[in-house]
Amino acid sequence: MSGAFFSHIKYKPDSQEQRIKEEAIAKWVARTAHPPRTVEDEEFINMMEKIDKRLTVPKKTKLTNLVDQMYLAEKVKFKNRLAMSRKVTIGIDIWTKKGLTASFLAVSACYFNVQDSKAEHILLNLKQMVHPHTANSIITLVEECTEEWGIPKEKIIMIITDNGSNMVSAFRVEEEDTSSDENDSKDSDEDDFFLF
C-alpha cells in the first residue's frame, strides 16, 4: 500500500533522479533535432507520465539550458582532442536551399584521436552565408571557425573543397602565401584540395 502512495510523489526538483531524467530528455531532444517546445506538448507529457509518474517534465527554457550545457561540455571534449592531434584536415562545402532562400557553409575536421587510437570526423560549424559567396567571405568564415576551435594554421595539412571558382580562389591566396616554390608547380587539375 505504501509503495503505491510513494509512486505518485514527484521527485524533488534538485534530486539526482530528476536531474538524470531531465538530462536524458535533453540528450534525446538534441540528438533527434526535435524543437525544445516538444517537452511542453500534451502528448509528450502524457507519455512521460506513463513512463515515470514521479518525473516532472522540464519546461522548454530549462531544457534549452541543459542542451546548451551539454553542447559546451562536448565542445570542450572535442577541442581537447583536436589540441592533442598532430595534424588536421579541413573539409568545406556550401549548400543552398531550394529557391535560393538561404545558403550554409559547413566546415568539418578529420584528425587522429590519440586517446582512442582512431580517426574521427566531426562537424565544426554550419553557418548561414549571405550572397554573394565570395572567396573573401568563405575564407573569413573558415578562419573564424578554426580560431573558435583552436586549430592553428600550422596544424592544417589540407583543405578539401569542391572545384567552385570561389573555393579555388579562397584557398589559392592562402596557398600562395604559405607554400614553397615546388608546390606552385602542381597541376591545375589538383584544385580540389590545397596543402599548407
Side-chain angles (χ1 to χ4, degrees), residues 34-95:
H34 280 80
R37 70 177 181 273
T38 300
V39 297
E40 294 182 352
D41 179 78
E42 186 179 338
E43 291 303 319
F44 183 84
I45 294 169
N46 288 338
M47 176 184 70
M48 295 310 296
E49 187 173 299
K50 285 182 175 48
I51 292 171
D52 187 349
K53 290 186 184 306
R54 300 184 70 191
L55 174 67
T56 302
V57 177
K59 298 292 183 195
K60 74 176 181 179
T61 304
K62 183 170 188 175
L63 187 84
T64 301
N65 290 337
L66 284 170
V67 169
D68 288 345
Q69 290 169 15
M70 289 175 162
Y71 170 76
L72 292 174
E74 288 292 305
K75 186 173 183 178
V76 167
K77 181 173 77 175
F78 281 103
K79 276 179 97 169
N80 289 337
R81 289 180 183 178
L82 282 163
M84 288 190 292
S85 68
R86 287 182 37 229
K87 295 291 180 182
V88 177
T89 298
I90 300 293
I92 305 164
D93 203 1
I94 297 175
W95 291 279

Side-chain angles (χ1 to χ4, degrees), residues 6 31-32 42 63 75 82 92 99 111 145 166 168 174:
F6 285 116
R31 295 224 170 142
T32 60
E42 186 179 338
L63 187 84
K75 186 173 183 178
L82 282 163
I92 305 164
Y111 61 96
C145 176
N166 53 354
V168 172
E174 286 292 311

